Amino acid sequence: MAEDYREDPLAYGEYHDRPRDGEEEEYEGTDRGLIGDTYRKFRGRYAGQGAPGQPPPNGGPGQGTGLVSGLFNTLHSAVHDIGSELQQKVAGRGKTSSHTYSGSYSNQGIHDSIHNRYGSFATQRTGNDIKWFVDGCGYMWAVSRALEQARESIWILDWWLSPELYLRRPPVKNEQYRIDRMLQAAAQRGVKVNVIVYKEVTQALTRKYLSPTIPRYLHSLLPRHTDKFTSALTGVGLAATFASLEHVESRNQLMDPVLPVCSSHTKHALENLHPNISVFRHPDHLPDAQTLQSSFISSLQNMSLSAKTAATLPLDALKAVYGMNEDVILYWAHHEKLCIVDGRTAFMGGLDLCYGRWDLNQHPIADCHPSNLNDTVFPGQEYNNARVLDFQDVSHWQNNKLDRRVSSRMGWSDISVSLQGPVVEDLRAHFVERWNFIYNEKYDVRKDVRYSRLSCNQNEAGTYQQRPTSSTGPAASYQQGSQPYQQYDQPQPSPQPPQQYQPYRPYQPPAGYSQQESQGSGQYFPPPPSSRGVDDEEAGDRSSRGFGLSSEEGRHHHHHHLEQEMEQMEGTVRGRFNDGVQRMENEYEHHHRLHGGSQEGGIPCQIVRSCSKWSHGVPTEHSIQNAYIDVIQRSQHFVYIENQFFITATSDAQKPVRNKIGAAIVDRILRAARAGEKYKVVVIIPAVPGFAGDLKDDASLGTRAIMEFQYNSINRGGYSIMEMIANEGFDPTQYIRFYNLRNYDRINSGGSMREVEQNSGVNFEAAQQQYNDAVELPADYRSIGDDGQNRSFTTNRQDYDQYQQSAQRMSGRNELGGNRWDSVSECYMLGGQDIRSVPWEHGNTAEMDAFVSEELYVHSKVLIADDRVVICGSANLNDRSQNGDHDSEIAIIVEDPTPIDSYMDGRPWRATKFAATLRRQLFRKHLGLLRPQDMERPNANFEPIGVPNAYDFGSEEDRMVMDPLSDDFLNRWNSTAHQNTVAFGRIFHPVPHDDVRTWNDYKAFYECFFSKADKEAEGKEGGKKVAKYEWGHVVAENFSPGDQGVREMKDLLSTVRGTLVEMPLLFLIKEDIAKEGVSLNAFTEEVYT
């Protein structure tokens, strides 16, 4: 094993020489862009065409090169001018500046939000309640509880939503908790369901859009004052470029979806269930003004549109137009994860309601149940390992090509929150803005009664109903200051009827109701309350007797009638008075909900977001980045970051990265170092972002590019965080360290499976497939009931039945006859059994070959400072999420005032409850100091907001993680990470690893054992050589043969505690990671950051 990377000076960048003062990095030719690369191609072609033996004039390039240079300089200038004018014409905004690090936050793109902290559309609000969820099991249980109780509205905004996702597990016992069935049931009882999902790049763009539609359209946008020569030259250039793109597309089938999501399936699967369900997909990818602003034209202006080489210019250009490159999306996405139920209870954070997100705290990665298929936790494509085989054809969810007898799944570590209170109104407003923006852009012209605009308005009942907004303009704009959302109180004309949600009474359809009859029938609205007083019926009866009476009777009747009118008038006045009182109470309730009571405690929270014109119809807002920078700068002792990515800049020299969160980290650390203060930043990110298999494969360009940008942010390239600290004379590892997560499991493919297969005559995988078919039937079907018996199992079930009958006969025969050891993930958690004492029965697989390991994918997006402040949401730590004009994001800043006694560096410290308990829960999970989670025994951490988080204050394990700066804690944290890293490295040879500093090291450490397995898993030709070991399995040759080797391996594995491992900062440090195989280019740089 290599020495601890923190002792190696290479770990923070001394290997790479920085250009000397006054020197700049050499670039060949002009800009590294579309025009620049094309120029280099032509220069190479025409260079040397002068007279033989005659040097070029002035020692410069040949005359042919000069001619081409002049031509391309003209075109280059024209494109810049076009880009600038189109940017203003399409986007409607002035000059774009870079994100500069100035004071407490970046100040680019703030849209009239000076009254709100961080330039957010929303102010901080008091009087809220909030709770955290660590991992998907408890979170999705809580969401299912809220959906089950919904009575008025359900709003969901997700990157991806899988209709067949089970919110509770195991699926056999929880069929009613599949999300499509839950939304259908809600719709049937009168709840209106509105869903927004990201629309991935698919076959929406076809060859017919390439030429001549796009070049003509682009040429038509030239400014009127453009001279004829430039106009003609631009026209020729556009025509030639797109003609070459058309040729490339005809030979390269780039139309297949590059993401595993299928928003079309989501939309149609849900909308077909009930007319009360409406699903928007966005954005479209046709070359309209909105997409030009967000991709092609703005890229031209900034000259970030380029090709990796002149030879592959058309291919990369085509991919940019289409918004894709291999397995990495090149088009900005809607990335929020938000669910609002009845306008009062909200869920948000890092967890989409989609495949691959549900997981337990111990993160089992084996799900093979030979003694009872009904114990399956991850059915069909839910059993997924994106590094081996990503989701395939998700509209046919039962088609799972990953063999669970051989391959592990990949665990998913994530964080979300549930909340109630005034801050929910800001989340509702965000959803309404997005919905109306999309409606106006796509759905207004369709005049479909299923869709209409939304608005947040207080009704007479003191709650909110949906009222239409103006038909003009993309979305409602905010009134900043003390009276937010004032525009919602003004009646707006609309050609569409409003969707009224409150007060909402469950709709009881008449006899003979059918979905077909309800299509287009509009919403059910209860009749208005009677306007008559309480005595109207009696008065009406008396007055009817007065007709044709005698004069005396008439006088009595007239007197009685006057009394009756007075009574009626009194009733009317009383009614109006009561109505006025009710309205005042409602207004108070509205203000109370929005702002909190003056004496109310609660938790101050603020919503921040990233959005812009393409995503939300508003000027660019990046208040999430501003909040990150400010919270880091103001932190006193400690910052913990857990995120899917870590790409940031310390200066403008790190182009194309623009966000300056890294600069804030360097600034805060240097202040602490110069003052002699103990200050720590702890960062956990995935070992391999982007799910690549063989990192050397050309298909892994996107992942390698992301890794290179991350290493350049952390410890390489001359301007990284660690290098900037080291340049000031301080050891960066004393202030900031980086970690990954990894775990192991054992696939139960031994004697139990072999015996059942022999007795039943059925292959396990065949029976498993029929089980998958059953539990993933359409929503209207039920397959296997709570009693474990088949009901309306409409698919072929013969193999399943035969296998299950044989398995039940051997149930309880021995320890392996049950399901206790179908996963051994408890062994590295608190109270788990020592892996050395876990039984095994030899069968189809030797025990050594049954062990598997995989990175535990970190998908969290959280920052915790000083155990007092939390930022949690959907935003990654990269430009895509932080800059505002790329991916759309939402996050919440939580500053809980509830104090708890704690310690910081051995001194008493007043922490706050929400931040401290969340940080301690995460640290305990990573260190293996939590007990394994039981999916069938819900506790307080499974419930939505209203039930506080459960946390065992004062326990031994709590005390171990209480003080994040104490030497005892830091020693435990770092020693656990180190011993886990050593064990995984010797047993499984995972990459990245610190022993792998060159591609030759990569081949010796990893490729020679697993490369064929990579290609086989991905369905590729891998050559003649057979892989020594399956993907993620034990490198058995590192141990003695036979049972002795198994004991040696288990002894080493028994040292693993939790899932924390060191991040290998020396991985490929002597190589240009992204340039191996397919070159990185400026076409992709901005997208990968």
Side-chain angles (χ1 to χ4, degrees):
M1 295 294 297
E3 293 182 44
D4 188 339
Y5 62 80
R6 296 172 187 84
E7 303 301 325
D8 195 326
L10 298 184
Y12 43 93
E14 291 186 12
Y15 176 81
H16 292 284
D17 293 328
R18 186 183 302 182
R20 295 173 185 156
D21 293 339
E23 293 183 352
E24 294 184 0
E25 187 177 354
E26 256 188 314
Y27 289 94
E28 181 184 358
T30 58
D31 287 327
R32 189 184 178 198
L34 179 65
I35 304 303
D37 283 347
T38 307
Y39 162 74
R40 285 191 287 274
K41 179 179 180 180
F42 277 84
R43 184 184 63 182
R45 178 177 299 176
Y46 291 101
Q49 288 190 2
Q54 182 177 354
N58 302 322
Q63 293 178 359
T65 305
L67 176 63
V68 173
S69 177
L71 179 69
F72 273 89
N73 282 338
T74 302
L75 181 59
H76 180 224
S77 177
V79 170
H80 267 296
D81 293 340
I82 294 168
S84 297
E85 297 215 19
L86 287 177
Q87 176 77 1
Q88 297 175 14
K89 180 176 180 179
V90 177
R93 65 187 191 198
K95 182 179 179 181
T96 302
S97 60
S98 64
H99 286 258
T100 56
Y101 176 69
S102 174
S104 62
Y105 56 84
S106 166
N107 58 5
Q108 179 194 8
I110 298 174
H111 63 93
D112 235 0
S113 301
I114 58 174
H115 296 100
N116 293 334
R117 186 175 61 163
Y118 305 131
S120 172
F121 76 106
T123 188
Q124 186 184 53
R125 304 193 188 280
T126 59
N128 304 289
D129 193 11
I130 187 168
K131 69 182 296 185
W132 46 255
F133 297 90
V134 175
D135 298 318
C137 176
Y139 174 75
M140 292 188 186
W141 183 292
V143 171
S144 74
R145 178 82 79 188
L147 296 182
E148 195 173 38
Q149 298 173 354
R151 293 295 178 267
E152 299 156 2
S153 64
I154 297 171
W155 293 352
I156 299 174
L157 175 56
D158 260 347
W159 178 75
W160 182 21
L161 187 149
S162 302
E164 299 78 23
L165 175 73
Y166 283 87
L167 298 178
R168 300 187 188 183
R169 309 291 169 99
V172 160
K173 298 180 180 180
N174 294 283
E175 289 192 352
Q176 70 272 32
Y177 293 108
R178 207 172 80 172
I179 192 168
D180 54 356
R181 292 174 182 147
M182 296 207 74
L183 294 180
Q184 181 185 38
Q188 288 172 345
R189 63 179 182 262
V191 176
K192 186 63 179 71
V193 180
N194 295 74
V195 178
I196 303 173
V197 291
Y198 163 64
K199 182 179 180 181
E200 75 284 7
V201 178
T202 61
Q203 298 180 3
L205 286 177
T206 59
R207 206 170 301 147
K208 67 181 180 180
Y209 291 110
L210 286 177
S211 184
T213 305
I214 294 180
R216 287 179 180 174
Y217 180 71
L218 293 176
H219 194 264
S220 72
L221 295 178
L222 281 172
R224 292 184 178 181
H225 63 263
T226 303
D227 64 88
K228 293 183 179 180
F229 176 74
T230 300
S231 177
L233 182 61
T234 303
V236 171
L238 287 170
T241 298
F242 281 90
S244 64
L245 297 183
E246 184 178 9
H247 174 70
V248 170
E249 194 277 331
S250 66
R251 301 176 58 187
N252 296 269
Q253 299 301 315
L254 300 176
M255 299 303 102
D256 292 335
V258 296
L259 286 174
V261 304
C262 183
S263 61
S264 177
H265 170 65
T266 300
K267 178 180 178 68
H268 296 298
L270 293 180
E271 287 193 342
N272 288 342
L273 296 175
H274 198 277
N276 269 358
I277 301 176
S278 303
V279 181
F280 281 178
R281 300 191 301 148
H282 190 264
D284 285 336
H285 300 280
L286 300 181
D288 56 14
Q290 206 61 245
T291 55
L292 282 172
Q293 185 276 329
S294 61
S295 59
F296 194 73
I297 295 302
S298 60
S299 296
L300 279 175
Q301 182 204 9
N302 296 319
M303 286 309 297
S304 61
L305 193 65
S306 64
K308 55 178 174 286
T309 64
T312 57
L313 165 66
L315 182 61
D316 272 2
L318 179 65
K319 290 175 179 179
V321 172
Y322 275 64
M324 64 179 74
N325 190 343
E326 297 295 333
D327 62 334
V328 180
I329 186 166
L330 296 185
Y331 202 83
W332 315 132
H334 292 303
H335 198 239
E336 297 101 323
K337 301 91 172 60
L338 176 64
C339 177
I340 307 174
V341 178
D342 291 340
R344 296 176 178 84
T345 301
F347 299 87
M348 62 179 295
L351 283 157
D352 291 283
L353 298 175
C354 69
Y355 286 153
R357 275 45 172 180
W358 191 97
D359 212 341
L360 295 157
N361 289 161
Q362 65 269 29
H363 302 286
I365 57 175
D367 190 35
C368 197
H369 304 274
S371 61
N372 186 0
L373 292 172
N374 291 344
D375 289 333
T376 299
V377 179
F378 303 94
Q381 291 202 45
E382 266 279 83
Y383 190 80
N384 170 260
N385 188 331
R387 292 195 64 201
V388 178
L389 181 69
D390 210 347
F391 296 105
Q392 302 287 320
D393 189 18
V394 294
S395 59
H396 297 88
W397 3 262
Q398 70 277 12
N399 296 335
N400 182 12
K401 300 176 182 177
L402 188 64
D403 189 344
R404 66 182 68 216
R405 298 170 301 176
V406 176
S407 298
S408 74
R409 61 179 289 271
M410 183 168 66
W412 198 269
S413 183
D414 219 329
I415 302 167
S416 284
V417 298
S418 177
L419 58 149
Q420 287 181 339
V423 76
V424 175
E425 302 307 316
D426 296 321
L427 295 174
R428 296 183 65 201
H430 179 78
F431 186 94
V432 167
E433 281 192 342
R434 178 69 50 77
W435 182 272
N436 290 345
F437 169 61
I438 298 171
Y439 176 85
N440 292 338
E441 184 181 79
K442 293 183 58 175
Y443 292 92
D444 188 18
V445 297
R446 303 184 186 186
K447 306 304 179 186
D448 188 331
V449 296
R450 183 190 291 266
Y451 312 117
S452 62
R453 297 179 185 87
L454 304 179
S455 180
C456 300
N457 290 278
Q458 184 184 9
N459 63 17
E460 292 184 358
T463 55
Y464 281 82
Q465 65 182 15
Q466 304 315 309
R467 291 172 53 186
T469 59
S470 171
S471 60
T472 61
S477 60
Y478 282 94
Q479 302 278 343
Q480 298 296 335
S482 61
Q483 298 295 328
Y485 319 133
Q486 287 181 348
Q487 74 281 7
Y488 291 139
D489 295 330
Q490 303 299 322
Q492 301 289 339
S494 172
Q496 294 292 330
Q499 294 181 5
Q500 298 193 16
Y501 290 8
Q502 299 185 19
Y504 209 100
R505 301 175 184 176
Y507 172 43
Q508 299 297 328
Y513 168 89
S514 68
Q515 279 195 18
Q516 288 75 19
E517 293 172 348
S518 70
Q519 291 284 356
S521 61
Q523 295 294 323
Y524 169 77
F525 300 107
S530 171
S531 59
R532 296 180 299 175
V534 293
D535 296 327
D536 279 355
E537 183 175 356
E538 181 182 354
D541 290 340
R542 288 197 298 263
S543 64
S544 66
R545 295 193 296 267
F547 184 76
L549 299 179
S550 66
S551 59
E552 184 66 25
E553 291 173 333
R555 283 194 297 271
H556 285 291
H557 172 72
H558 181 68
H559 179 72
H560 180 75
H561 182 67
L562 289 175
E563 290 179 348
Q564 177 185 334
E565 287 184 346
M566 292 179 64
E567 290 176 0
Q568 287 181 313
M569 184 179 297
E570 181 183 358
T572 300
V573 172
R574 186 186 301 114
R576 290 181 177 178
F577 175 79
N578 290 337
D579 288 345
V581 171
Q582 183 64 48
R583 279 194 295 272
M584 292 177 63
E585 291 177 351
N586 292 339
E587 289 176 3
Y588 172 79
E589 179 187 348
H590 167 52
H591 185 276
H592 185 77
R593 289 180 61 195
L594 200 60
H595 304 285
S598 59
Q599 301 301 319
E600 183 176 8
I603 299 176
C605 298
Q606 183 182 9
I607 301 300
V608 286
R609 65 184 183 181
S610 294
C611 59
S612 64
K613 287 194 174 182
W614 85 260
S615 61
H616 210 75
V618 297
T620 300
E621 177 181 332
H622 48 76
S623 50
I624 297 176
Q625 180 186 167
N626 295 340
Y628 263 72
I629 291 172
D630 184 64
V631 170
I632 290 168
Q633 280 192 303
R634 295 174 182 272
S635 62
Q636 298 181 50
H637 301 287
F638 174 79
V639 168
Y640 175 64
I641 296 173
E642 194 170 305
N643 207 286
Q644 185 182 1
F645 297 102
F646 192 88
I647 299 176
T648 185
T650 62
S651 71
D652 291 335
Q654 285 178 280
K655 294 180 179 178
V657 182
R658 293 185 289 152
N659 81 80
K660 296 303 193 301
I661 295 172
I665 292 174
V666 170
D667 178 75
R668 182 63 190 91
I669 288 175
L670 290 179
R671 280 194 284 126
R674 289 165 182 154
E677 299 170 349
K678 194 172 186 179
Y679 181 86
K680 300 289 183 181
V681 177
V682 173
V683 181
I684 292 183
I685 58 176
V688 180
F691 311 136
D694 185 353
L695 287 171
K696 198 173 183 181
D697 193 278
D698 283 351
S700 300
L701 167 65
T703 299
R704 294 204 312 275
I706 293 170
M707 294 177 72
E708 181 172 280
F709 282 120
Q710 290 194 156
Y711 280 123
N712 286 344
S713 301
I714 296 169
N715 70 322
R716 305 180 194 175
Y719 300 95
S720 66
I721 290 172
M722 285 189 164
E723 288 171 299
M724 298 296 282
I725 296 169
N727 289 343
E728 297 298 317
F730 302 104
D731 179 359
T733 64
Q734 295 299 311
Y735 298 93
I736 182 168
R737 292 194 177 186
F738 293 81
Y739 304 87
N740 305 139
L741 302 178
R742 173 168 285 276
N743 62 331
Y744 73 87
D745 212 331
R746 190 185 68 179
I747 299 174
N748 192 5
S749 56
S752 303
M753 180 180 293
R754 180 181 63 180
E755 184 172 341
V756 176
E757 287 181 333
Q758 289 175 348
N759 293 339
S760 66
V762 176
N763 178 273
F764 171 85
E765 191 63 18
Q768 181 71 53
Q769 184 59 51
Q770 289 190 358
Y771 168 89
N772 294 340
D773 293 344
V775 299
E776 297 192 325
L777 287 168
D780 291 335
Y781 291 88
R782 295 294 187 271
S783 55
I784 305 172
D786 290 346
D787 54 2
Q789 300 299 314
N790 294 294
R791 291 179 180 173
S792 57
F793 201 138
T794 62
T795 60
N796 180 12
R797 55 182 260 180
Q798 182 178 357
D799 289 344
Y800 168 84
D801 284 340
Q802 286 184 218
Y803 187 95
Q804 282 291 88
Q805 290 169 7
S806 178
Q808 289 174 6
R809 285 194 293 268
M810 66 166 288
S811 178
R813 178 177 56 83
N814 55 37
E815 267 195 283
L816 293 172
N819 65 359
R820 169 72 191 279
W821 299 119
D822 289 347
S823 169
V824 297
S825 56
E826 70 168 62
C827 295
Y828 47 77
M829 300 298 288
L830 180 66
Q833 189 158 329
D834 191 316
I835 187 63
R836 292 171 291 188
S837 62
V838 175
W840 176 261
E841 184 176 356
H842 290 288
N844 292 345
T845 306
E847 186 176 16
M848 179 80 82
D849 297 332
F851 280 92
V852 288
S853 178
E854 184 54 88
E855 74 163 311
L856 174 53
Y857 198 74
V858 179
H859 194 255
S860 318
K861 297 93 170 53
V862 69
L863 180 150
I864 304 173
D866 296 329
D867 280 354
R868 288 180 174 176
V869 182
V870 175
I871 303 176
C872 181
S874 66
N876 293 317
L877 207 162
N878 58 9
D879 274 4
R880 286 193 62 139
S881 290
Q882 297 288 338
N883 285 358
D885 54 357
H886 292 175
D887 291 352
S888 61
E889 309 283 3
I890 197 83
I892 188 168
I893 307 169
V894 183
E895 297 175 83
D896 181 8
T898 308
I900 61 171
D901 292 330
S902 187
Y903 290 90
M904 193 70 70
D905 193 20
R907 303 183 188 90
W909 177 253
R910 186 60 59 90
T912 62
K913 187 176 182 180
F914 181 84
T917 55
L918 174 58
R919 198 268 305 164
R920 294 181 193 181
Q921 184 84 355
L922 291 169
F923 278 23
R924 289 174 61 178
K925 188 187 81 158
H926 301 330
L927 292 170
L929 298 176
L930 286 182
R931 295 190 179 277
Q933 198 173 20
D934 189 336
M935 74 188 86
E936 298 190 70
R937 292 188 175 181
N939 57 28
N941 293 336
F942 285 58
E943 296 296 331
I945 190 64
V947 178
N949 281 119
Y951 187 81
D952 55 343
F953 289 100
S955 66
E956 181 180 358
E957 292 74 29
D958 175 53
R959 292 194 297 272
M960 289 179 181
V961 299
M962 180 184 296
D963 185 346
L965 290 191
S966 72
D967 291 339
D968 287 344
F969 166 77
L970 293 172
N971 289 336
R972 177 183 297 276
W973 180 266
N974 289 318
S975 63
T976 299
H978 182 70
Q979 73 182 19
N980 289 351
T981 303
V982 170
F984 284 123
R986 185 178 175 207
I987 298 171
F988 298 104
H989 281 228
V991 288
H993 193 277
D994 269 338
D995 282 353
V996 178
R997 303 188 184 188
T998 67
W999 286 115
N1000 286 334
D1001 294 339
Y1002 181 88
K1003 181 178 180 180
F1005 183 84
Y1006 175 82
E1007 217 171 19
C1008 67
F1009 300 114
F1010 300 109
S1011 62
K1012 173 67 176 177
D1014 292 343
K1015 300 181 187 302
E1016 285 180 342
E1018 296 171 2
K1020 300 178 181 179
E1021 294 295 330
K1024 297 181 179 179
K1025 186 177 180 180
V1026 177
K1028 291 183 178 180
Y1029 305 103
E1030 297 287 350
W1031 170 279
H1033 285 245
V1034 177
V1035 179
E1037 63 193 64
N1038 289 342
F1039 303 94
S1040 302
D1043 291 342
Q1044 175 61 29
V1046 174
R1047 286 191 291 271
E1048 293 171 359
M1049 184 271 295
K1050 282 188 169 183
D1051 284 342
L1052 188 54
L1053 206 57
S1054 68
T1055 65
V1056 172
R1057 289 289 177 266
T1059 58
L1060 187 70
V1061 293
E1062 299 168 330
M1063 181 174 178
L1065 296 185
L1066 298 178
F1067 178 66
L1068 292 178
I1069 196 167
K1070 297 182 180 180
E1071 301 283 357
D1072 191 343
I1073 300 177
K1075 297 294 178 64
E1076 181 69 20
V1078 180
S1079 299
L1080 177 66
N1081 60 84
F1083 228 154
T1084 58
E1085 280 182 344
E1086 185 173 356
V1087 178
Y1088 294 147
T1089 60

